[in-house]
Amino acid sequence: RMAVALGRLNRIKEILQNEPKYRHTQITQAIFEKKIRTYEEITTFPIHLRNKLTEELGKSTLTIHPAHSSSSKQATKILFDLKDGNQIETVYMRFKKGEEPTSEDYCSDQFLQNQKSHTDGYTSVCLSTQVGCALKCAFCATGKMGLKRHMNAEEIVDQVLYFQQLHGPDAVDSISFMGMGEPLQNPNTFKALTMLTDPNMMRFPNRHINVSTVGIIPGIRRMTKEFPQVNLAFSLHSPFSEQRSQLVPANDQNPLEECWNAVVDHVTQTNRKVFIAYLVLAGINDTPSHAKEIVNWMSEKTPQSVRHLLHLNLLRWNPTIDVTPSSSKFSRQNSELKFKRTTPEEMLTFQNVLHDEREKKRGHFQMTVRQSFGVDIDAACGQLYAEHQGRSRLEKSSETKEATQA
């Protein structure tokens, strides 16, 4: 089954329309299986076709281009330029074999369960699906950007291809749709999933792919129907509907109770674990009453037969950078006026209360605290974009000021 994609593949089809059909198979294999970087390197094609493809599409076989990067010991974050001048972020994470990830990092909260055994460990790529985001979650840097556009399926998939081209075909063990944007709000996410799992294209195992959502109900139900083996993560962030609407405005259109019903239906129909992400915000959603209500959702409001398939992930918030056009600074200090990062002691206290409440209710769900390793590279969604945009604005402002003074 050949996946349907937009943009590059359609353009290639037009270029090769008078060529034998096997040319289409050859170029698909070259790009998606052999991970060839440039059209010039597709030696199964005659030189005139390689030249024509390069002339029409550019040198690279990708639709994205790396513009800036930042790295730590375990993660590399890339800011990519898209063809229309927009930018998105992708994170590549590395873990040693036998090492428990020390990351709650927004895109690694469930990939550990899906890794292949490698002598040198395992890796995960966190993908973006939108340029910006329309949902405006109160704690998220990407939400401050607003939604500029959906990414197309090829732009989404090319984030994986980039690291495979760079490090080798086996360089990516797990994929997480947890970067910029809400995956289930973009219909092209499903086209990208088709390309990623297509045996004629990326050949990625369904169970090595993770999709995170704040609760787009039609999208959850579509995942249940079309991609039941792909891992699903639901971002809860508050067990109280009124407060959740303040933190996650999408709760107004996708009410918590209806979201939870969709999640329970997904677990029941697929018999697959769902990860419940909970971003712990000090003094805001980490009280004993919050812990009690979280346990209530995961026990009394969930059928006993599937409670063991729910896994609560507690995450620590990464300070965000202001990316609004009016912002003249992009320092972490200004971002912490409303939220503050939970200390290890505060997290442990909240975890212990949750544990006690779970024991009282005889809950069967699992619970994990994810530690962060991404703060030093601005690893929350939209951070690298924000810093890059902030510097660009300051540089332009400085240039304008100098020109005026001159």
Side-chain angles (χ1 to χ4, degrees), residues 95-98 112-123 170 173 208:
F95 294 97
K96 296 179 182 179
K97 184 179 179 181
L112 177 62
Q113 288 81 2
N114 308 310
Q115 301 311 309
K116 296 177 287 186
S117 177
H118 289 277
T119 56
D120 57 348
Y122 42 84
T123 60
D170 298 324
D173 296 322
H208 288 205

Side-chain angles (χ1 to χ4, degrees), residues 279-297:
L279 188 65
V280 182
L281 302 167
I284 294 176
N285 66 351
D286 61 348
T287 70
S289 62
H290 284 87
K292 184 175 182 178
E293 190 61 16
I294 290 170
V295 173
N296 191 37
W297 280 104

Side-chain angles (χ1 to χ4, degrees), residues 61-197:
T61 55
L62 300 179
T63 61
I64 60 177
H65 178 75
H68 184 69
S69 67
S70 60
S71 297
S72 66
K73 182 179 179 181
Q74 289 182 294
T76 298
K77 188 166 191 175
I78 306 290
L79 182 69
F80 285 108
D81 286 334
L82 306 182
K83 295 289 186 180
D84 61 358
N86 280 306
Q87 295 179 315
I88 54 94
E89 299 173 359
T90 309
V91 179
Y92 181 72
M93 292 175 291
R94 302 166 292 273
F95 294 97
K96 296 179 182 179
K97 184 179 179 181
E99 176 183 62
E100 174 66 22
T102 58
S103 171
E104 121 275 0
D105 228 62
Y106 62 101
C107 44
S108 63
D109 46 341
Q110 79 267 29
F111 88 101
L112 177 62
Q113 288 81 2
N114 308 310
Q115 301 311 309
K116 296 177 287 186
S117 177
H118 289 277
T119 56
D120 57 348
Y122 42 84
T123 60
S124 181
V125 170
C126 179
L127 307 179
S128 291
T129 55
Q130 295 177 312
V131 181
C133 183
L135 300 188
K136 300 185 184 302
C137 294
F139 44 77
C140 179
T142 305
K144 297 178 182 179
M145 295 167 54
L147 177 64
K148 296 187 176 182
R149 71 170 175 86
H150 294 315
M151 294 175 64
N152 66 44
E154 292 182 59
E155 291 169 332
I156 296 171
V157 172
D158 278 1
Q159 295 169 80
V160 180
L161 273 174
Y162 171 80
F163 290 103
Q164 291 179 324
Q165 288 182 357
L166 191 65
H167 300 300
D170 298 324
V172 179
D173 296 322
S174 174
I175 299 169
S176 293
F177 286 69
M178 299 184 184
M180 293 170 65
E182 163 55 55
L184 298 188
Q185 202 177 43
N186 181 1
N188 296 324
T189 291
F190 294 93
K191 296 176 183 177
L193 286 170
T194 301
M195 292 177 68
L196 288 167
T197 57

